[in-house]
Amino acid sequence: MRHQPDDLDVRALRSALRGWGIEPERDPAYLPVGFGDHHWHAEDASGAGDGRWFVTVADLTAKPYCGEGTEAAARGLTAAMDTAAALRADRGLGFVLAPVRDRDGRTTVRLGERYALSVFPYEDGESDPDGAPLPPDDRVRALDALAALHRAEPPPRAPAAGPALSRRGLLEETLADLSGPWDGGPFAEPARALFAAHAASLRHRLDAFDALAARVAAAGARPVVTHGEPHSANILRTPGGLRLADWDTVGLAAPERDLWQVAETPADLAHYAEATGHEPDPAALDLYRTRWDLEDMTEYLAWFRAPHTRTPDTEAGWEELTELLG
């Protein structure tokens, strides 16, 4: 996120890092990167690791795909982080940018009711913050990484990640009644008007999504461990090769959940098929492509129907929503 949360005391964050044996010389520096979680760079005075750590604090109220409500989201996030850690440590997948366990073996630690902390090694590298398509050579490397991930034996705590929308009920409720006004904040009423203008096309998109989901379910493809969001913003180019970050969406699903975000050409799909023996299903690719848009729209809908203020983050969210619905 672009701004540091007002209700999180950086002193509590600094204190929690001691659970990893990390003693920062100064308050961790906030990093205005990514969208959804909050990030800091911590420099350690004790000599743990190479002295640099990437600290992530997840807002549990904004993770319905991990679980509805903060307690369920905390359990789901921990299962996801445990899965990522196991993929790297137990399955030998070195491209997985996995969290480091604390002294008690935990990958997440609660910071109050709303937040959960995870700690990662700091890696030097580059990614595309806008999620633009990967260049051909990087696509091949990313597809090879996905093939290795999809071939891996699922860790014991790997969560299920079916195609169902995490907040379908909210979207259905909204489309059934778009009478106003919405008064949660500066983008509430504009969001209502925007959804009202596109209600018919959204209803059509939902019906198409349901038809695709039924078709893919009938095909009965074997679920594999998927990342969930392997777009270029989550792929870090490092001196040691590509690294895949942001594992809170990891889960068992059809391979196409990942493939549609990386493969650009028939040759890409053929490369993946040769590596895994799985012929990508066009219907499943369409399903997860459609799901991505609907899930994003619903996330912004929840945001703008709830109390909010004008911040760099809500302004960026509004731009994304208008682009999606446009």
Side-chain angles (χ1 to χ4, degrees), residues 4-58:
Q4 186 170 332
D6 297 330
D7 58 348
L8 182 62
D9 188 344
V10 73
R11 291 173 298 180
L13 174 64
R14 186 170 177 171
S15 176
L17 290 175
R18 296 193 181 101
W20 279 264
I22 300 171
E23 294 283 353
E25 292 182 334
R26 60 185 67 86
D27 285 345
Y30 189 74
L31 301 174
V33 296
F35 199 84
D37 292 337
H38 299 279
H39 305 288
W40 285 261
H41 175 208
E43 294 186 358
D44 181 30
S46 70
D50 74 347
R52 300 180 303 160
W53 300 94
F54 189 80
V55 178
T56 293
V57 174

Side-chain angles (χ1 to χ4, degrees), residues 192-287:
R192 184 198 65 79
L194 191 62
F195 274 90
H198 294 280
S201 60
L202 272 174
R203 182 74 263 170
H204 176 74
R205 180 66 67 89
L206 272 174
D207 291 343
F209 172 80
D210 290 340
L212 285 167
R215 181 174 169 184
V216 171
R222 180 179 67 88
V224 299
V225 182
T226 60
H227 177 278
E229 296 186 351
H231 50 69
S232 59
N234 287 334
I235 294 176
L236 189 67
R237 303 177 190 89
T238 77
L242 291 187
R243 301 288 184 265
L244 193 50
D246 234 2
W247 288 85
D248 58 343
T249 54
V250 66
L252 299 174
E256 289 82 1
R257 180 176 186 243
D258 287 341
L259 284 177
W260 80 267
Q261 295 195 60
V262 176
E264 296 284 335
T265 67
D268 292 339
L269 296 175
H271 180 84
Y272 175 85
E274 183 176 356
T276 62
H278 172 76
E279 292 288 342
D281 178 1
L285 293 169
D286 285 345
L287 170 67

Side-chain angles (χ1 to χ4, degrees), residues 159-165 251-254 257 288 291:
L165 299 174
L252 299 174
R257 180 176 186 243
Y288 284 102
R291 183 189 185 279

